[in-house]
Amino acid sequence: MGTGRKLASALLKTALRHSSAESRCWAEAMLGELDFVESDWAALRWAVGGSTALLRHSASRRGSRWLTRALGPEGEPTSSRKKALGAVLGVGLAGAILALGVCGLWRHLVVLLPQAHWERATIAVIAALEVAYLRGAIALWRHRRPVAVGILLAAVALTVHVAIHTQASHESHLTGPDEFR
Amino acid sequence: MKPPRLRRSPQTLQVLDFFLSSPKEWKHGYDISQSTGLLSGTLYPVLMRMAERGLLETRWETPEGGRPPRHLYRFTAEGLRYARELRAERSGSKARKALLHPRKT
């Protein structure tokens, strides 16, 4: 047995150990096919793809069990609850991307740019994020509409927030610092 | 009975078409992958969804030579009916499209 096949087998066995009860049978199915895959390289690809699918399946089963428990005795989440959760997920996703973008911006900003340019750079990064949100929402609109709606809501909230901030800073520039003394 | 809801992705349609080619035969996962060109990471989620919705039945086969058992898949009666209906629907919509937008020669 070649190294690639050994690695593939080890990978699928690890996935099998960590699989949920519902996914275990599928992990065994993938492992059973491994002996019939021709080359070591193909076996490794088979194992990587299979393990990813198993992890996703296990995670979704565990997630839906948790959801059923969290939503109380009524059991199965209703369609409107699913939509609401999708929208919350979209907002969360947009928030995480924003946090990453802002962190990345500040790391570079402090080192590379003088303070006078910070505001413009922040607006440029936020504009890029808005474009990314819009593209993401368009891509998800057909199959994951609630998530797309969540992303759009976050984009609108961010735009309003930036507009208010920009206006406030503009007004403070116009009135001058003496007013606040 | 609740109708099976399956996302009609091109990959799912490919797998359904493959099973429709010989609906009575049991198929191995790797053979399906070879015939459809789908990788394991794409194929197995489709098979899982189909089995969960009662469109596929599964069984284990023990090969000779101490090899691990293999999982086999075949359409259930419900799965076969669903796949045939879907194919009829698809060919109907193709025909409608051809009527609405005839190709210029």
Side-chain angles (χ1 to χ4, degrees):
Chain A
M1 196 193 273
T3 317
R5 201 172 289 269
K6 274 185 196 160
L7 208 61
S9 173
L11 188 64
L12 277 176
K13 279 176 184 160
T14 309
L16 174 64
R17 270 200 303 278
H18 292 93
S19 292
S20 64
E22 298 97 331
S23 311
R24 198 149 294 155
C25 140
W26 293 101
E28 283 166 357
M30 290 173 204
L31 202 56
E33 293 301 304
L34 207 58
D35 278 9
F36 298 88
V37 180
E38 289 99 8
S39 71
D40 280 10
W41 172 238
L44 193 57
R45 274 201 317 177
W46 179 263
V48 169
S51 317
T52 315
L54 282 170
L55 286 177
R56 270 167 37 206
H57 189 249
S58 285
S60 85
R61 287 295 160 282
R62 282 182 183 136
S64 66
R65 266 206 305 274
W66 173 82
L67 201 64
T68 309
R69 270 203 308 272
L71 291 175
E74 289 151 38
E76 282 284 295
T78 59
S79 159
S80 55
R81 276 174 178 170
K82 276 185 185 168
K83 280 180 190 162
L85 275 167
V88 170
L89 183 70
V91 172
L93 204 65
I97 293 168
L98 174 68
L100 283 174
V102 169
C103 283
L105 166 78
W106 276 102
R107 240 181 37 202
H108 292 100
L109 210 65
V110 177
V111 181
L112 297 174
L113 289 175
Q115 201 172 353
H117 293 93
W118 285 10
E119 194 183 326
R120 274 189 196 167
T122 309
I123 290 173
V125 167
I126 287 170
L129 281 174
E130 293 278 1
V131 172
Y133 287 163
L134 205 62
R135 289 188 70 173
I138 290 168
L140 290 168
W141 190 256
R142 212 165 144 206
H143 297 299
R144 299 269 186 277
R145 192 162 297 178
V147 182
V149 170
I151 292 174
L152 285 177
L153 280 176
V156 170
L158 182 63
T159 311
V160 171
H161 178 81
V162 169
I164 290 169
H165 252 281
T166 316
Q167 201 179 0
S169 108
H170 187 65
E171 275 169 12
S172 76
H173 276 298
L174 284 179
T175 49
D178 290 341
E179 294 263 72
F180 299 101
R181 275 181 201 156
Chain B
M1 195 183 159
K2 202 176 160 188
R5 281 185 66 212
L6 204 61
R7 200 171 353 139
R8 297 173 186 186
S9 64
Q11 294 82 2
T12 306
L13 296 176
Q14 244 177 301
V15 175
L16 285 171
D17 280 342
F18 175 73
F19 278 106
L20 261 183
S21 63
S22 47
K24 295 270 155 74
E25 271 177 40
W26 289 96
K27 314 265 200 294
H28 294 109
Y30 188 57
D31 298 339
I32 306 171
S33 166
Q34 291 288 89
S35 305
T36 56
L38 297 176
L39 299 173
S40 58
T42 311
L43 171 69
Y44 275 94
V46 174
L47 293 178
M48 288 169 187
R49 281 195 289 271
M50 285 170 69
E52 277 165 9
R53 282 158 181 77
L55 302 177
L56 277 190
E57 57 180 323
T58 62
R59 75 174 174 88
W60 289 97
E61 172 198 66
T62 314
E64 289 161 8
R67 286 172 149 179
R70 295 182 83 182
H71 213 200
L72 292 160
Y73 314 94
R74 185 172 78 169
F75 265 144
T76 58
E78 176 70 31
L80 184 57
R81 191 167 53 241
Y82 177 76
R84 281 182 177 153
E85 278 171 15
L86 204 61
R87 182 177 269 185
E89 207 177 289
R90 275 156 61 207
S91 50
S93 84
K94 264 186 199 166
R96 267 198 305 279
K97 264 187 198 164
L99 272 175
L100 287 170
H101 310 285
R103 275 189 188 173
K104 284 172 192 170
T105 49

